[in-house]
Amino acid sequence: MSTAPTNEEYINLNETIETSRDFYNPNVLINLGPSHPAMHGTLRVMCRVNGETIEQSKCEIGYLHRGIEKLGEEKTYHQWIVYTDRLNYCSALNNNIAYVMAVEKIMGITVTERCMWIRVMCMELARIIDHVICVAINALDMGAMTVFWLFYHWREEAYTMIESMCGMRLTTSYARIGGMSYDLPENLIPRLKKFVEEFPKAIDEIEGLLTSNRIWIDRTKNVGKLSSEEALAFGLSGPCLRASGVDFDLRRDRPYYVYPELDFDVVVASGGDVYDRYLLRMEEMRQSVRILKQCAERMPGGPLWVDDRRVRIPEKIDVYTKMEVLIHHFKIFMEGIDVPPGEAYSCVEGPNGELGFYVVSRGGPKAWRMRIKSPSFMLFQSFEKSILGEKIPDAVSILGSVNIIAGELDR
Amino acid sequence: MEAWQESQQKANLYLQDNFAIGSSQVVRRFELDKVQEPVLWAKDPQDALELVKKFQSAPELQINFLSDLTAYDNADKKEGAGGRFVVVIQLLSTLTKVRLRIKTMLTEGQPMLSLTSVWPAANWLEREVFDMFGITFEGHPDLRRILMDERFHGFPLRKEYPYKQREPFSDNVKINLDSKDAHS
């Protein structure tokens, strides 16, 4: 091997070849995405790399823009429920409920006790699914296939439960203004009890695979760090904000529905890196299981629907047999619900952070302005900054840890 | 009553005392919305920025988080005849758990002041407002379209923009083939 060129000679040699000059160029531009399995959905980041270090980056979004906010001004309040499924499609239940909550606030409707408990149960189940997806895919991106197989079994279990509730797995459209489209099936509570018994074992198993795994720690610790000041300045919310050490959770600090009665802890980490976000999500799943346990035990009986003629969708059997009810049914679906003028901003603690709906009503069945405050939008904005100085494979692990859902990002 | 409701009520009282009509130079109107959250109408964009800075230091509020920044069309003049767009700033405090909203009315073409100097989070939110409504922001570092294509004209969330309008892009590549049925 004595004839091999020295490094310097090699560089000089290559400088003469046009095609390989880029290798030594500190100004190489590369595109991460938009069509790449590691760029979840259709995200595109343009980077200037020096070697493998990202020195500049710009995100380009809008590939999944479907004009959902404009559709909100064209469809009736009831028709728009299905569009909320297509925001964060990993936790559609959360979006359904957050949206109907906003409309109910404008109409001054308080849903029944049973409806509240069902909604809280749905939101926690959706949170578990979302966190499972985030952790499993994040590990998969870094090569840990087993975690993905083990975790996705439980995601399927949760989806099967959701399917038994509303007939859909992914695009649920479960919530209705003033109630829910179906009552719980009889076998759901026993099934849920079995789920909350067995799922924590899976969490322990995954933790055994990852938490003290050398490869996992090397890939995640001190990667994509955000301080609490930065997190607040970038408007992050949810797990990423709490991983950076800000103790804020809407479920505890501005509670809705039955959360004040429930016993759960808000999980806070301090590192703000990928590893802490992972740990935080694992612990949050345990807290969600705690909430689900209480839901299974304390699920009250009583009416599901609010007793309000403006929004109450009549029972199908009455629609087929009674003239007045048929007309009422027709009016709700063809004309829509008449929402009084006014406005409200309503938000829930979604799996990724503060998911808000700002609805401006001028009266009538359609909204004047339907604004979706999506957590992913703020998270992806900070992503542009947090990958600076990191390597390209680290960008992939950071992206997995902030869990950006393109449907919610682009709306 | 829970702690967050108490601090929200305290904040509402503070805002009412200091910014209700007559007692303030910068607020045009003070109201509570359907869920008893305060809405302050700033007189102009300059005042909106001033209010934000004031709320950051007020001990009753301690606003430290930009929840959302958006706008809506006032084409029907229901919010008053003085302007075309309403810019809405949703603010939140993670310390006092207070939520409030600042609104400003803009005429068509009138620029809003950018909040990027206060919160970098405002960057993309303002770009989206520009993209959807055509409202410009003074002092914004990189104001260009974000969700729509850069070749796109028009502002989709304005009320006069048709719901199903399609906009073919100008630089579609022309095909010049020799066959007789080719496009030119």
Side-chain angles (χ1 to χ4, degrees):
Chain A
M1 294 300 282
S2 59
T3 52
T6 64
N7 206 22
E8 214 162 292
E9 279 171 348
Y10 191 72
I11 293 171
N12 289 335
L13 185 80
N14 276 300
E15 292 251 294
T16 59
I17 308 167
E18 195 66 33
T19 48
S20 57
R21 191 169 286 167
D22 266 2
F23 192 78
Y24 302 96
N25 189 345
N27 293 308
V28 178
L29 298 175
I30 66 155
N31 258 311
L32 302 178
S35 289
H36 189 276
M39 302 301 288
H40 308 171
T42 48
L43 314 173
R44 178 181 172 204
V45 190
M46 284 174 290
C47 306
R48 185 174 65 74
V49 292
N50 183 358
E52 259 207 278
T53 310
I54 298 167
E55 294 196 332
Q56 255 181 330
S57 72
K58 270 276 183 256
C59 297
E60 197 68 47
I61 66 171
Y63 290 92
L64 209 62
H65 180 61
R66 295 147 295 170
I68 287 187
E69 287 180 10
K70 183 80 176 174
L71 280 163
E73 297 169 12
E74 293 295 331
K75 305 284 178 194
T76 67
Y77 288 101
H78 181 79
Q79 284 172 327
W80 203 65
I81 293 173
V82 293
Y83 288 96
T84 59
D85 293 335
R86 277 84 181 164
L87 295 171
N88 184 346
Y89 33 74
C90 298
S91 52
L93 283 169
N94 239 298
N95 306 333
N96 296 158
I97 293 164
Y99 164 60
V100 296
M101 204 168 142
V103 181
E104 281 159 6
K105 274 184 180 172
I106 298 183
M107 298 186 80
I109 293 172
T110 312
V111 292
T112 60
E113 183 81 6
R114 180 171 172 81
C115 188
M116 282 184 192
W117 278 92
I118 292 177
R119 284 183 180 184
V120 166
M121 190 191 82
C122 287
M123 283 196 275
E124 292 307 319
L125 207 54
R127 191 185 316 281
I128 287 178
I129 292 174
D130 207 284
H131 284 357
V132 159
I133 292 171
C134 176
V135 172
I137 302 264
N138 198 5
L140 181 71
D141 283 346
M142 289 182 238
M145 194 89 180
T146 319
V147 174
F148 179 79
W149 296 132
L150 279 172
F151 246 173
Y152 261 49
H153 170 74
W154 293 99
R155 175 179 176 257
E156 286 304 306
E157 286 291 301
Y159 270 146
T160 311
M161 267 194 281
I162 290 172
E163 190 185 12
S164 73
M165 282 190 261
C166 58
M168 297 282 185
R169 293 171 80 85
L170 206 66
T171 50
T172 52
S173 301
Y174 189 24
R176 295 284 182 271
I177 296 156
M180 304 303 266
S181 55
Y182 303 99
D183 207 339
L184 296 181
E186 269 172 23
N187 64 347
L188 187 95
I189 297 296
R191 218 170 186 172
L192 186 69
K193 280 183 176 156
K194 192 162 167 270
F195 180 84
V196 296
E197 239 10 89
E198 288 170 12
F199 179 62
K201 289 177 200 152
I203 302 178
D204 292 340
E205 201 176 354
I206 305 287
E207 281 227 88
L209 283 172
L210 291 177
T211 305
S212 53
N213 183 325
R214 185 60 200 271
I215 305 169
W216 178 255
I217 290 172
D218 283 353
R219 286 296 307 273
T220 55
K221 212 146 198 167
N222 293 322
V223 171
K225 260 181 121 71
L226 280 175
S227 68
S228 57
E229 290 80 20
E230 281 173 320
L232 282 172
F234 278 115
L236 302 194
S237 46
C240 291
L241 181 70
R242 289 192 288 276
S244 293
V246 180
D247 187 9
F248 186 74
D249 190 323
L250 287 168
R251 288 177 293 171
R252 181 198 62 194
D253 295 327
R254 287 184 72 89
Y256 42 92
Y257 295 149
V258 292
Y259 279 112
E261 296 171 35
L262 289 166
D263 189 22
F264 68 99
D265 294 320
V266 175
V267 191
V268 186
S270 57
D273 54 5
V274 178
Y275 187 69
D276 277 21
R277 286 176 204 151
Y278 148 75
L279 283 180
L280 189 129
R281 282 206 163 86
M282 295 302 262
E283 189 53 40
E284 251 184 30
M285 277 190 262
R286 290 206 178 90
Q287 297 302 327
S288 289
V289 166
R290 256 177 90 185
I291 295 175
L292 282 180
K293 240 180 221 164
Q294 294 169 58
C295 287
E297 278 159 18
R298 295 172 59 183
M299 182 62 70
L304 177 68
W305 274 87
V306 67
D307 190 22
D308 190 326
R309 259 188 69 81
R310 293 177 298 169
V311 294
R312 174 78 167 97
I313 297 170
E315 297 292 342
K316 264 277 148 55
I317 185 71
D318 295 336
V319 175
Y320 291 137
T321 50
K322 292 177 191 146
M323 189 62 200
E324 291 75 20
V325 181
L326 176 67
I327 295 169
H328 186 55
H329 176 93
F330 184 81
K331 284 213 147 212
I332 284 183
F333 284 98
M334 299 310 287
E335 271 175 21
I337 296 159
D338 186 26
V339 174
E343 62 169 52
Y345 178 77
S346 153
C347 59
V348 299
E349 181 75 32
N352 287 338
E354 180 186 321
L355 171 72
F357 286 87
Y358 175 56
V359 185
V360 179
S361 166
R362 295 280 213 249
K366 290 175 185 174
W368 180 256
R369 174 84 170 100
M370 190 79 82
R371 161 76 182 163
I372 307 151
K373 190 264 164 180
S374 70
S376 291
F377 197 73
M378 311 303 239
L379 291 170
F380 204 42
Q381 181 168 219
S382 76
F383 177 73
E384 205 172 74
K385 305 288 180 301
S386 62
I387 60 170
L388 293 183
E390 306 278 4
K391 305 269 189 284
I392 295 168
D394 289 341
V396 173
S397 76
I398 297 168
L399 185 74
S401 76
V402 292
N403 196 20
I404 288 154
I405 310 290
E408 189 180 60
L409 176 72
D410 295 340
R411 297 169 305 238
Chain B
M1 193 187 287
E2 286 182 61
W4 71 274
Q5 285 164 321
E6 251 169 56
S7 58
Q8 182 75 57
Q9 212 163 52
K10 225 165 79 186
N12 288 4
L13 282 175
Y14 163 78
L15 291 169
Q16 192 130 35
D17 292 347
N18 289 284
F19 299 101
I21 313 159
S23 56
S24 167
Q25 297 296 311
V26 290
V27 174
R28 191 161 56 85
R29 202 160 91 208
F30 173 83
E31 59 198 21
L32 293 173
D33 75 353
K34 292 269 177 182
V35 281
Q36 302 301 305
E37 276 171 20
V39 182
L40 293 106
W41 286 80
K43 275 191 177 139
D44 58 47
Q46 182 65 48
D47 295 334
L49 194 66
E50 216 169 278
L51 279 177
V52 168
K53 284 179 178 156
K54 204 175 274 174
F55 293 161
Q56 280 182 308
S57 53
E60 287 88 348
L61 305 170
Q62 298 180 46
I63 296 296
N64 62 349
F65 190 83
L66 178 66
S67 201
D68 193 14
L69 192 151
T70 185
Y72 62 91
D73 204 329
N74 187 32
D76 61 351
K77 305 289 176 210
K78 284 257 172 74
E79 305 283 12
R84 172 67 206 273
F85 300 110
V86 180
V87 175
V88 186
I89 306 167
Q90 307 272 6
L91 298 172
L92 171 73
S93 166
T94 58
L95 305 164
T96 58
K97 335 292 187 209
V98 167
R99 210 176 254 297
L100 65 97
R101 205 173 300 151
I102 297 174
K103 288 187 177 182
T104 319
M105 189 94 87
L106 298 175
T107 54
E108 201 159 349
Q110 186 191 357
M112 176 72 191
L113 281 179
S114 174
L115 282 182
T116 43
S117 56
V118 188
W119 288 291
N123 189 324
W124 280 21
L125 293 167
E126 286 171 1
R127 276 177 68 188
E128 196 191 337
V129 171
F130 166 70
D131 194 357
M132 294 295 157
F133 293 94
I135 297 169
T136 52
F137 287 83
E138 250 171 45
H140 192 284
D142 183 23
L143 196 66
R144 55 194 170 87
R145 286 189 182 276
I146 184 163
L147 292 174
M148 309 305 286
D149 196 281
E150 279 183 55
R151 293 165 288 179
F152 190 83
H153 300 281
F155 302 105
L157 281 181
R158 287 189 179 185
K159 286 288 172 188
E160 74 262 19
Y161 194 89
Y163 156 53
K164 278 192 174 169
Q165 177 155 309
R166 281 176 185 271
E167 214 173 287
F169 293 136
S170 55
D171 60 353
N172 276 353
V173 184
K174 282 187 181 175
I175 304 169
N176 292 306
L177 296 173
D178 284 334
S179 70
K180 59 180 185 324
D181 57 328
H183 305 276
S184 57

